[in-house]
Amino acid sequence: STVTGKDGMTLLYVPAGEFIMGSKAQDARAACLEYHSFCSVGSFEDEEPQHRVNLAAFWIDETEVTNAMYEQCVQDGACNVNVERSYTRDSYFGNPEFDNYPVVFVSWNDAKTYCEWADRRLPTEAEWEKAARGENGFLYPWGNDPPNKHLINYNYFIADTTQVGKYTNSVSPYGASDMAGNVWEWVSSIYKPYPYDPTDGREDSASQGDRVMRGGSWSNFQGGVVHTAYRHAFEATATYWDFGFRCAMDVTP
């Protein structure tokens, strides 16, 4: 089932229940080694220990938030535009040609502000990962087969963003698009060690600390970086060519 957000976003239902979070560092390294010989287990140790997490049902955005959606928030006076260009395009944000492309150069603070404006919130790290891989611990949103340029936008094959939802053969078990590649996606969580515990302060939006990004982007050449358990930490004020986001929402009775 789906609902439509006030920004026009389609939201997908993710049912309550357990899923497998994290990975075994050796498995993540193996995914990386399919592409490069310099992958170290240490690059993936923060994904351990692999553990089970039980979540309540929630809604997740079907795609990354687009330029056109973000522009509604800007016009409403709630959101800021940091940069109007993309990596290769001088005219990107505000250009109708790229309305359905992911907004970039957004900080964690920007993403949080947008989701609140849209009557949603950023997904937790656990929610994002469940929405990306389902309940069975898939290495990628589509399963365990390695990525290629026909499945996702990564590895500089295009060297910039692509239209959201373009890669229809790589949606997650719940139907979410671009959860690997295209742009990095902010989540609500502070970067802390596993196992994931929502009560240990990592979900305190007022606390200081680096926030987690997920999913990799068009610029990531390692299969290991675009797998569903990969974690990266950035300052909440950081923005870049390939920093985007999607929102989530509680299921209300």
Side-chain angles (χ1 to χ4, degrees), residues 35-93:
Y35 300 87
H36 298 283
S37 60
F38 53 79
C39 306
S40 68
V41 173
S43 301
F44 310 104
E45 284 180 345
D46 65 347
E47 299 170 22
E48 294 186 320
Q50 196 172 62
H51 55 290
R52 290 190 171 273
V53 175
N54 197 346
L55 295 177
F58 62 97
W59 299 96
I60 191 80
D61 288 1
E62 182 177 29
T63 71
E64 293 151 343
V65 171
T66 65
N67 284 323
M69 292 173 184
Y70 196 84
E71 192 165 13
Q72 296 175 51
C73 184
V74 173
Q75 291 175 351
D76 231 14
C79 289
N80 298 317
V81 180
N82 296 317
V83 178
E84 293 189 358
R85 62 163 300 169
S86 70
Y87 187 65
T88 62
R89 305 163 184 134
D90 289 333
S91 175
Y92 182 68
F93 185 83

CSV table of all heavy atoms in Angstrom, one decimal, residues 35-93:
chain,number,residue,atom,x,y,z
A,35,TYR,N,35.6,-5.8,-7.3
A,35,TYR,CA,36.0,-4.7,-8.1
A,35,TYR,C,37.4,-4.2,-7.9
A,35,TYR,O,38.1,-3.8,-8.9
A,35,TYR,CB,35.1,-3.5,-7.8
A,35,TYR,CG,33.6,-3.8,-8.1
A,35,TYR,CD1,32.9,-4.4,-7.1
A,35,TYR,CD2,33.1,-3.6,-9.3
A,35,TYR,CE1,31.6,-4.8,-7.3
A,35,TYR,CE2,31.8,-4.0,-9.6
A,35,TYR,CZ,31.0,-4.6,-8.6
A,35,TYR,OH,29.7,-5.0,-8.8
A,36,HIS,N,38.0,-4.3,-6.7
A,36,HIS,CA,39.3,-3.8,-6.4
A,36,HIS,C,40.0,-4.7,-5.5
A,36,HIS,O,39.4,-5.4,-4.7
A,36,HIS,CB,39.2,-2.4,-5.8
A,36,HIS,CG,38.5,-1.4,-6.8
A,36,HIS,ND1,39.2,-0.9,-7.8
A,36,HIS,CD2,37.3,-0.9,-6.8
A,36,HIS,CE1,38.4,-0.1,-8.5
A,36,HIS,NE2,37.2,-0.1,-7.9
A,37,SER,N,41.3,-4.6,-5.5
A,37,SER,CA,42.2,-5.5,-4.7
A,37,SER,C,42.6,-4.9,-3.4
A,37,SER,O,43.2,-5.5,-2.6
A,37,SER,CB,43.4,-5.9,-5.5
A,37,SER,OG,44.2,-4.7,-5.8
A,38,PHE,N,42.2,-3.6,-3.2
A,38,PHE,CA,42.7,-2.9,-2.0
A,38,PHE,C,41.6,-2.8,-0.9
A,38,PHE,O,41.7,-1.9,-0.1
A,38,PHE,CB,43.3,-1.5,-2.3
A,38,PHE,CG,42.3,-0.6,-3.1
A,38,PHE,CD1,41.3,0.0,-2.4
A,38,PHE,CD2,42.4,-0.5,-4.5
A,38,PHE,CE1,40.4,0.8,-3.1
A,38,PHE,CE2,41.6,0.3,-5.2
A,38,PHE,CZ,40.6,1.0,-4.5
A,39,CYS,N,40.6,-3.7,-0.9
A,39,CYS,CA,39.6,-3.6,0.1
A,39,CYS,C,40.1,-4.3,1.4
A,39,CYS,O,40.5,-5.4,1.4
A,39,CYS,CB,38.4,-4.4,-0.4
A,39,CYS,SG,37.8,-3.8,-2.0
A,40,SER,N,40.0,-3.6,2.5
A,40,SER,CA,40.4,-4.1,3.8
A,40,SER,C,39.2,-4.4,4.6
A,40,SER,O,38.1,-3.8,4.6
A,40,SER,CB,41.3,-3.2,4.5
A,40,SER,OG,40.5,-2.0,4.9
A,41,VAL,N,39.3,-5.5,5.4
A,41,VAL,CA,38.2,-5.8,6.4
A,41,VAL,C,37.9,-4.6,7.3
A,41,VAL,O,36.7,-4.4,7.6
A,41,VAL,CB,38.6,-7.1,7.2
A,41,VAL,CG1,37.5,-7.3,8.3
A,41,VAL,CG2,38.6,-8.3,6.3
A,42,GLY,N,38.9,-3.9,7.6
A,42,GLY,CA,38.7,-2.7,8.5
A,42,GLY,C,37.8,-1.7,8.0
A,42,GLY,O,37.2,-0.9,8.8
A,43,SER,N,37.6,-1.7,6.7
A,43,SER,CA,36.6,-0.7,6.1
A,43,SER,C,35.2,-1.0,6.4
A,43,SER,O,34.3,-0.1,6.3
A,43,SER,CB,36.8,-0.7,4.5
A,43,SER,OG,38.1,-0.4,4.2
A,44,PHE,N,35.0,-2.2,6.9
A,44,PHE,CA,33.6,-2.7,7.1
A,44,PHE,C,33.3,-3.1,8.5
A,44,PHE,O,32.2,-3.6,8.8
A,44,PHE,CB,33.2,-3.8,6.1
A,44,PHE,CG,33.6,-3.4,4.7
A,44,PHE,CD1,34.7,-3.9,4.1
A,44,PHE,CD2,32.8,-2.5,4.0
A,44,PHE,CE1,35.0,-3.6,2.7
A,44,PHE,CE2,33.1,-2.2,2.7
A,44,PHE,CZ,34.2,-2.7,2.1
A,45,GLU,N,34.3,-3.0,9.4
A,45,GLU,CA,34.1,-3.5,10.8
A,45,GLU,C,33.0,-2.8,11.5
A,45,GLU,O,32.5,-3.3,12.5
A,45,GLU,CB,35.5,-3.4,11.5
A,45,GLU,CG,36.5,-4.5,11.1
A,45,GLU,CD,37.8,-4.4,11.9
A,45,GLU,OE1,38.0,-3.3,12.5
A,45,GLU,OE2,38.5,-5.4,11.8
A,46,ASP,N,32.7,-1.6,11.1
A,46,ASP,CA,31.6,-0.9,11.9
A,46,ASP,C,30.2,-1.4,11.5
A,46,ASP,O,29.2,-1.0,12.1
A,46,ASP,CB,31.7,0.6,11.6
A,46,ASP,CG,31.4,1.0,10.1
A,46,ASP,OD1,31.4,0.1,9.3
A,46,ASP,OD2,31.2,2.2,9.9
A,47,GLU,N,30.2,-2.4,10.6
A,47,GLU,CA,28.9,-3.1,10.3
A,47,GLU,C,28.7,-4.3,11.2
A,47,GLU,O,27.7,-5.0,11.1
A,47,GLU,CB,28.9,-3.5,8.8
A,47,GLU,CG,29.0,-2.4,7.8
A,47,GLU,CD,29.2,-2.8,6.4
A,47,GLU,OE1,28.9,-4.0,6.1
A,47,GLU,OE2,29.8,-2.0,5.6
A,48,GLU,N,29.6,-4.6,12.0
A,48,GLU,CA,29.6,-5.7,12.9
A,48,GLU,C,29.2,-5.3,14.3
A,48,GLU,O,29.6,-4.1,14.7
A,48,GLU,CB,30.9,-6.5,12.9
A,48,GLU,CG,31.2,-7.1,11.6
A,48,GLU,CD,32.5,-8.0,11.7
A,48,GLU,OE1,33.4,-7.6,12.4
A,48,GLU,OE2,32.5,-9.1,11.1
A,49,PRO,N,28.6,-6.1,15.2
A,49,PRO,CA,28.2,-7.5,14.8
A,49,PRO,C,26.8,-7.4,14.0
A,49,PRO,O,26.0,-6.5,14.2
A,49,PRO,CB,28.0,-8.1,16.2
A,49,PRO,CG,27.6,-7.0,17.1
A,49,PRO,CD,28.4,-5.8,16.6
A,50,GLN,N,26.7,-8.4,13.1
A,50,GLN,CA,25.4,-8.5,12.5
A,50,GLN,C,24.4,-9.0,13.6
A,50,GLN,O,24.7,-9.8,14.4
A,50,GLN,CB,25.5,-9.6,11.4
A,50,GLN,CG,24.3,-9.6,10.4
A,50,GLN,CD,24.6,-10.5,9.3
A,50,GLN,OE1,24.7,-11.8,9.5
A,50,GLN,NE2,24.6,-10.0,8.1
A,51,HIS,N,23.2,-8.3,13.5
A,51,HIS,CA,22.3,-8.6,14.6
A,51,HIS,C,20.8,-8.4,14.2
A,51,HIS,O,20.6,-7.8,13.1
A,51,HIS,CB,22.6,-7.6,15.8
A,51,HIS,CG,22.6,-6.2,15.4
A,51,HIS,ND1,23.5,-5.6,14.7
A,51,HIS,CD2,21.7,-5.2,15.8
A,51,HIS,CE1,23.3,-4.3,14.5
A,51,HIS,NE2,22.2,-4.0,15.1
A,52,ARG,N,19.9,-8.9,14.9
A,52,ARG,CA,18.5,-8.7,14.6
A,52,ARG,C,17.9,-7.5,15.3
A,52,ARG,O,18.2,-7.3,16.5
A,52,ARG,CB,17.7,-10.0,15.0
A,52,ARG,CG,18.1,-11.2,14.1
A,52,ARG,CD,17.1,-12.4,14.3
A,52,ARG,NE,17.3,-13.4,13.3
A,52,ARG,CZ,16.8,-13.4,12.1
A,52,ARG,NH1,15.9,-12.5,11.8
A,52,ARG,NH2,17.0,-14.4,11.2
A,53,VAL,N,17.1,-6.8,14.6
A,53,VAL,CA,16.4,-5.6,15.1
A,53,VAL,C,14.9,-5.7,14.8
A,53,VAL,O,14.5,-6.1,13.7
A,53,VAL,CB,17.0,-4.3,14.5
A,53,VAL,CG1,16.2,-3.1,14.9
A,53,VAL,CG2,18.5,-4.1,14.8
A,54,ASN,N,14.1,-5.4,15.8
A,54,ASN,CA,12.7,-5.4,15.7
A,54,ASN,C,12.1,-4.0,15.5
A,54,ASN,O,12.4,-3.2,16.4
A,54,ASN,CB,12.1,-6.2,16.9
A,54,ASN,CG,10.6,-6.6,16.6
A,54,ASN,OD1,10.0,-6.2,15.6
A,54,ASN,ND2,10.1,-7.5,17.4
A,55,LEU,N,11.4,-3.7,14.5
A,55,LEU,CA,10.9,-2.4,14.2
A,55,LEU,C,9.4,-2.4,14.1
A,55,LEU,O,8.8,-3.3,13.7
A,55,LEU,CB,11.5,-1.8,12.9
A,55,LEU,CG,13.0,-1.6,12.8
A,55,LEU,CD1,13.4,-1.1,11.4
A,55,LEU,CD2,13.4,-0.5,13.9
A,56,ALA,N,8.8,-1.3,14.6
A,56,ALA,CA,7.4,-1.0,14.3
A,56,ALA,C,7.3,-0.7,12.8
A,56,ALA,O,8.2,-0.4,12.1
A,56,ALA,CB,6.9,0.1,15.1
A,57,ALA,N,6.0,-0.9,12.3
A,57,ALA,CA,5.8,-0.5,10.9
A,57,ALA,C,6.0,1.0,10.7
A,57,ALA,O,5.9,1.8,11.6
A,57,ALA,CB,4.3,-0.9,10.6
A,58,PHE,N,6.4,1.3,9.4
A,58,PHE,CA,6.6,2.7,9.1
A,58,PHE,C,6.5,2.9,7.6
A,58,PHE,O,6.3,1.9,6.8
A,58,PHE,CB,8.0,3.2,9.5
A,58,PHE,CG,9.2,2.4,8.9
A,58,PHE,CD1,9.8,2.9,7.7
A,58,PHE,CD2,9.6,1.2,9.3
A,58,PHE,CE1,10.9,2.3,7.1
A,58,PHE,CE2,10.7,0.5,8.7
A,58,PHE,CZ,11.3,1.0,7.6
A,59,TRP,N,6.4,4.1,7.2
A,59,TRP,CA,6.4,4.5,5.7
A,59,TRP,C,7.7,5.0,5.3
A,59,TRP,O,8.4,5.7,6.1
A,59,TRP,CB,5.3,5.6,5.5
A,59,TRP,CG,3.9,5.2,5.8
A,59,TRP,CD1,3.2,5.5,7.0
A,59,TRP,CD2,3.0,4.5,5.0
A,59,TRP,NE1,2.0,5.0,6.9
A,59,TRP,CE2,1.8,4.4,5.7
A,59,TRP,CE3,3.1,3.9,3.7
A,59,TRP,CZ2,0.7,3.7,5.2
A,59,TRP,CZ3,1.9,3.3,3.2
A,59,TRP,CH2,0.8,3.2,3.9
A,60,ILE,N,8.2,4.7,4.1
A,60,ILE,CA,9.4,5.2,3.6
A,60,ILE,C,9.2,5.8,2.2
A,60,ILE,O,8.4,5.3,1.4
A,60,ILE,CB,10.5,4.1,3.5
A,60,ILE,CG1,11.9,4.6,3.2
A,60,ILE,CG2,10.1,3.0,2.4
A,60,ILE,CD1,12.6,5.2,4.3
A,61,ASP,N,9.9,6.9,1.9
A,61,ASP,CA,9.7,7.5,0.6
A,61,ASP,C,10.1,6.6,-0.5
A,61,ASP,O,11.2,5.9,-0.4
A,61,ASP,CB,10.6,8.8,0.5
A,61,ASP,CG,10.1,10.0,1.3
A,61,ASP,OD1,9.0,9.8,2.0
A,61,ASP,OD2,10.7,11.0,1.2
A,62,GLU,N,9.4,6.5,-1.6
A,62,GLU,CA,9.7,5.6,-2.7
A,62,GLU,C,11.0,6.0,-3.4
A,62,GLU,O,11.7,5.2,-3.9
A,62,GLU,CB,8.5,5.6,-3.7
A,62,GLU,CG,8.8,4.7,-4.9
A,62,GLU,CD,7.6,4.6,-5.8
A,62,GLU,OE1,6.9,5.7,-5.9
A,62,GLU,OE2,7.4,3.6,-6.5
A,63,THR,N,11.3,7.3,-3.5
A,63,THR,CA,12.5,7.8,-4.1
A,63,THR,C,13.2,8.8,-3.2
A,63,THR,O,12.7,9.2,-2.2
A,63,THR,CB,12.1,8.5,-5.5
A,63,THR,OG1,11.5,9.8,-5.2
A,63,THR,CG2,11.2,7.7,-6.4
A,64,GLU,N,14.4,9.2,-3.7
A,64,GLU,CA,15.0,10.3,-3.0
A,64,GLU,C,14.2,11.6,-3.3
A,64,GLU,O,13.6,11.7,-4.3
A,64,GLU,CB,16.5,10.4,-3.6
A,64,GLU,CG,17.3,9.2,-3.2
A,64,GLU,CD,18.4,8.9,-4.2
A,64,GLU,OE1,18.3,9.3,-5.4
A,64,GLU,OE2,19.3,8.2,-3.8
A,65,VAL,N,14.3,12.5,-2.4
A,65,VAL,CA,13.6,13.8,-2.5
A,65,VAL,C,14.2,14.5,-3.8
A,65,VAL,O,15.4,14.6,-3.9
A,65,VAL,CB,13.7,14.7,-1.3
A,65,VAL,CG1,13.2,16.1,-1.5
A,65,VAL,CG2,13.0,14.0,-0.1
A,66,THR,N,13.3,15.0,-4.6
A,66,THR,CA,13.7,15.6,-5.9
A,66,THR,C,13.9,17.1,-5.8
A,66,THR,O,13.4,17.8,-4.8
A,66,THR,CB,12.7,15.3,-7.0
A,66,THR,OG1,11.5,16.0,-6.7
A,66,THR,CG2,12.4,13.8,-7.1
A,67,ASN,N,14.5,17.7,-6.8
A,67,ASN,CA,14.6,19.1,-6.9
A,67,ASN,C,13.3,19.8,-6.8
A,67,ASN,O,13.1,20.8,-6.1
A,67,ASN,CB,15.3,19.5,-8.2
A,67,ASN,CG,16.8,19.3,-8.1
A,67,ASN,OD1,17.5,19.5,-7.1
A,67,ASN,ND2,17.4,18.9,-9.3
A,68,ALA,N,12.3,19.3,-7.6
A,68,ALA,CA,11.0,19.9,-7.6
A,68,ALA,C,10.3,19.9,-6.3
A,68,ALA,O,9.6,20.9,-5.9
A,68,ALA,CB,10.1,19.3,-8.7
A,69,MET,N,10.4,18.8,-5.6
A,69,MET,CA,9.8,18.7,-4.2
A,69,MET,C,10.5,19.7,-3.3
A,69,MET,O,9.8,20.4,-2.5
A,69,MET,CB,10.0,17.3,-3.7
A,69,MET,CG,9.1,16.2,-4.5
A,69,MET,SD,9.5,14.6,-3.9
A,69,MET,CE,8.5,13.6,-5.0
A,70,TYR,N,11.8,19.7,-3.3
A,70,TYR,CA,12.6,20.6,-2.4
A,70,TYR,C,12.3,22.0,-2.7
A,70,TYR,O,12.2,22.9,-1.8
A,70,TYR,CB,14.1,20.3,-2.5
A,70,TYR,CG,14.9,20.9,-1.4
A,70,TYR,CD1,15.0,20.2,-0.2
A,70,TYR,CD2,15.5,22.1,-1.5
A,70,TYR,CE1,15.8,20.7,0.8
A,70,TYR,CE2,16.3,22.6,-0.5
A,70,TYR,CZ,16.4,21.9,0.7
A,70,TYR,OH,17.2,22.4,1.7
A,71,GLU,N,12.0,22.4,-4.0
A,71,GLU,CA,11.7,23.7,-4.3
A,71,GLU,C,10.4,24.2,-3.7
A,71,GLU,O,10.3,25.4,-3.4
A,71,GLU,CB,11.6,23.9,-5.9
A,71,GLU,CG,11.6,25.3,-6.4
A,71,GLU,CD,11.9,25.4,-7.8
A,71,GLU,OE1,11.9,24.4,-8.6
A,71,GLU,OE2,12.1,26.6,-8.3
A,72,GLN,N,9.5,23.3,-3.5
A,72,GLN,CA,8.2,23.7,-2.8
A,72,GLN,C,8.5,24.2,-1.4
A,72,GLN,O,7.9,25.2,-0.9
A,72,GLN,CB,7.3,22.5,-2.7
A,72,GLN,CG,6.8,21.9,-4.0
A,72,GLN,CD,6.0,20.7,-3.8
A,72,GLN,OE1,5.0,20.6,-3.0
A,72,GLN,NE2,6.3,19.6,-4.5
A,73,CYS,N,9.5,23.5,-0.7
A,73,CYS,CA,9.9,23.9,0.6
A,73,CYS,C,10.6,25.2,0.6
A,73,CYS,O,10.4,26.1,1.5
A,73,CYS,CB,10.7,22.8,1.2
A,73,CYS,SG,11.2,23.1,3.0
A,74,VAL,N,11.4,25.4,-0.4
A,74,VAL,CA,12.1,26.7,-0.5
A,74,VAL,C,11.1,27.9,-0.7
A,74,VAL,O,11.2,28.9,-0.1
A,74,VAL,CB,13.1,26.7,-1.7
A,74,VAL,CG1,13.7,28.0,-2.0
A,74,VAL,CG2,14.2,25.6,-1.4
A,75,GLN,N,10.2,27.6,-1.6
A,75,GLN,CA,9.2,28.7,-1.9
A,75,GLN,C,8.3,29.0,-0.7
A,75,GLN,O,7.8,30.1,-0.5
A,75,GLN,CB,8.3,28.2,-3.1
A,75,GLN,CG,9.1,28.2,-4.4
A,75,GLN,CD,8.3,27.7,-5.6
A,75,GLN,OE1,7.2,27.2,-5.4
A,75,GLN,NE2,8.8,27.8,-6.8
A,76,ASP,N,8.2,28.0,0.2
A,76,ASP,CA,7.4,28.1,1.4
A,76,ASP,C,8.2,28.9,2.5
A,76,ASP,O,7.6,29.2,3.5
A,76,ASP,CB,7.0,26.7,1.9
A,76,ASP,CG,5.5,26.6,2.2
A,76,ASP,OD1,4.7,27.5,1.8
A,76,ASP,OD2,5.1,25.7,2.9
A,77,GLY,N,9.4,29.1,2.2
A,77,GLY,CA,10.3,29.8,3.2
A,77,GLY,C,10.9,29.0,4.3
A,77,GLY,O,11.5,29.5,5.2
A,78,ALA,N,10.7,27.6,4.1
A,78,ALA,CA,11.2,26.7,5.2
A,78,ALA,C,12.6,26.2,4.9
A,78,ALA,O,13.3,25.8,5.8
A,78,ALA,CB,10.2,25.6,5.4
A,79,CYS,N,13.0,26.1,3.6
A,79,CYS,CA,14.2,25.4,3.3
A,79,CYS,C,15.2,26.3,2.6
A,79,CYS,O,14.8,27.3,2.0
A,79,CYS,CB,13.9,24.2,2.3
A,79,CYS,SG,13.1,22.8,3.1
A,80,ASN,N,16.5,26.0,2.7
A,80,ASN,CA,17.5,26.8,2.1
A,80,ASN,C,18.1,26.1,0.8
A,80,ASN,O,18.1,24.9,0.8
A,80,ASN,CB,18.7,27.0,3.0
A,80,ASN,CG,18.3,27.8,4.3
A,80,ASN,OD1,17.6,28.8,4.2
A,80,ASN,ND2,18.7,27.3,5.4
A,81,VAL,N,18.5,26.9,-0.1
A,81,VAL,CA,19.3,26.3,-1.3
A,81,VAL,C,20.8,26.6,-1.0
A,81,VAL,O,21.1,27.8,-0.9
A,81,VAL,CB,18.8,27.0,-2.6
A,81,VAL,CG1,19.6,26.4,-3.8
A,81,VAL,CG2,17.3,26.7,-2.8
A,82,ASN,N,21.6,25.6,-1.0
A,82,ASN,CA,23.0,25.8,-0.7
A,82,ASN,C,23.8,26.1,-2.0
A,82,ASN,O,24.6,27.0,-2.1
A,82,ASN,CB,23.6,24.7,0.0
A,82,ASN,CG,23.0,24.5,1.4
A,82,ASN,OD1,22.8,25.5,2.1
A,82,ASN,ND2,22.6,23.3,1.8
A,83,VAL,N,23.5,25.2,-3.0
A,83,VAL,CA,24.2,25.3,-4.3
A,83,VAL,C,23.2,24.9,-5.4
A,83,VAL,O,22.5,24.0,-5.2
A,83,VAL,CB,25.4,24.4,-4.4
A,83,VAL,CG1,26.1,24.4,-5.7
A,83,VAL,CG2,26.4,24.7,-3.3
A,84,GLU,N,23.2,25.7,-6.5
A,84,GLU,CA,22.2,25.4,-7.6
A,84,GLU,C,22.7,24.5,-8.7
A,84,GLU,O,22.0,24.1,-9.5
A,84,GLU,CB,21.7,26.7,-8.1
A,84,GLU,CG,20.9,27.5,-7.1
A,84,GLU,CD,20.2,28.7,-7.8
A,84,GLU,OE1,20.4,28.9,-9.0
A,84,GLU,OE2,19.5,29.4,-7.0
A,85,ARG,N,24.0,24.2,-8.7
A,85,ARG,CA,24.6,23.4,-9.7
A,85,ARG,C,24.8,22.0,-9.2
A,85,ARG,O,24.6,21.7,-8.0
A,85,ARG,CB,25.9,23.9,-10.2
A,85,ARG,CG,27.0,24.0,-9.2
A,85,ARG,CD,28.4,24.2,-9.8
A,85,ARG,NE,28.7,23.1,-10.7
A,85,ARG,CZ,29.7,23.1,-11.6
A,85,ARG,NH1,30.5,24.1,-11.7
A,85,ARG,NH2,29.9,22.0,-12.3
A,86,SER,N,25.1,21.0,-10.1
A,86,SER,CA,25.5,19.7,-9.7
A,86,SER,C,26.9,19.5,-10.2
A,86,SER,O,27.6,20.5,-10.6
A,86,SER,CB,24.6,18.6,-10.3
A,86,SER,OG,24.7,18.5,-11.7
A,87,TYR,N,27.4,18.3,-10.1
A,87,TYR,CA,28.8,18.0,-10.4
A,87,TYR,C,29.2,18.5,-11.9
A,87,TYR,O,30.3,19.1,-12.1
A,87,TYR,CB,29.2,16.6,-10.2
A,87,TYR,CG,30.6,16.2,-10.3
A,87,TYR,CD1,31.5,16.7,-9.4
A,87,TYR,CD2,31.1,15.4,-11.4
A,87,TYR,CE1,32.9,16.4,-9.5
A,87,TYR,CE2,32.4,15.0,-11.5
A,87,TYR,CZ,33.3,15.6,-10.5
A,87,TYR,OH,34.7,15.2,-10.6
A,88,THR,N,28.4,18.2,-12.8
A,88,THR,CA,28.7,18.5,-14.2
A,88,THR,C,27.8,19.5,-14.8
A,88,THR,O,28.0,19.9,-16.0
A,88,THR,CB,28.7,17.2,-15.1
A,88,THR,OG1,27.4,16.7,-15.1
A,88,THR,CG2,29.7,16.2,-14.6
A,89,ARG,N,26.7,20.0,-14.1
A,89,ARG,CA,25.7,20.8,-14.7
A,89,ARG,C,25.7,22.2,-13.9
A,89,ARG,O,25.5,22.2,-12.7
A,89,ARG,CB,24.3,20.2,-14.5
A,89,ARG,CG,24.3,18.8,-15.2
A,89,ARG,CD,23.1,18.0,-14.7
A,89,ARG,NE,23.1,16.6,-15.2
A,89,ARG,CZ,22.8,15.6,-14.4
A,89,ARG,NH1,22.6,15.7,-13.1
A,89,ARG,NH2,22.8,14.4,-15.0
A,90,ASP,N,25.9,23.2,-14.7
A,90,ASP,CA,25.9,24.6,-14.1
A,90,ASP,C,24.6,25.0,-13.6
A,90,ASP,O,24.4,25.8,-12.7
A,90,ASP,CB,26.5,25.6,-15.0
A,90,ASP,CG,28.0,25.4,-15.3
A,90,ASP,OD1,28.7,24.9,-14.3
A,90,ASP,OD2,28.5,25.8,-16.3
A,91,SER,N,23.5,24.5,-14.3
A,91,SER,CA,22.2,24.8,-14.0
A,91,SER,C,21.5,23.5,-13.6
A,91,SER,O,21.2,22.7,-14.5
A,91,SER,CB,21.4,25.5,-15.2
A,91,SER,OG,20.1,25.7,-14.9
A,92,TYR,N,21.1,23.3,-12.4
A,92,TYR,CA,20.6,22.0,-11.9
A,92,TYR,C,19.3,22.3,-11.1
A,92,TYR,O,18.2,22.1,-11.5
A,92,TYR,CB,21.6,21.3,-11.1
A,92,TYR,CG,21.2,19.9,-10.6
A,92,TYR,CD1,20.9,18.8,-11.5
A,92,TYR,CD2,21.1,19.7,-9.3
A,92,TYR,CE1,20.5,17.6,-11.1
A,92,TYR,CE2,20.7,18.4,-8.8
A,92,TYR,CZ,20.4,17.4,-9.7
A,92,TYR,OH,20.0,16.2,-9.2
A,93,PHE,N,19.5,22.8,-9.9
A,93,PHE,CA,18.4,23.1,-9.0
A,93,PHE,C,17.6,24.3,-9.6
A,93,PHE,O,18.2,25.3,-9.9
A,93,PHE,CB,18.8,23.4,-7.6
A,93,PHE,CG,17.6,23.6,-6.7
A,93,PHE,CD1,17.0,22.5,-6.1
A,93,PHE,CD2,17.2,24.9,-6.4
A,93,PHE,CE1,15.9,22.7,-5.3
A,93,PHE,CE2,16.1,25.1,-5.5
A,93,PHE,CZ,15.4,24.0,-5.0
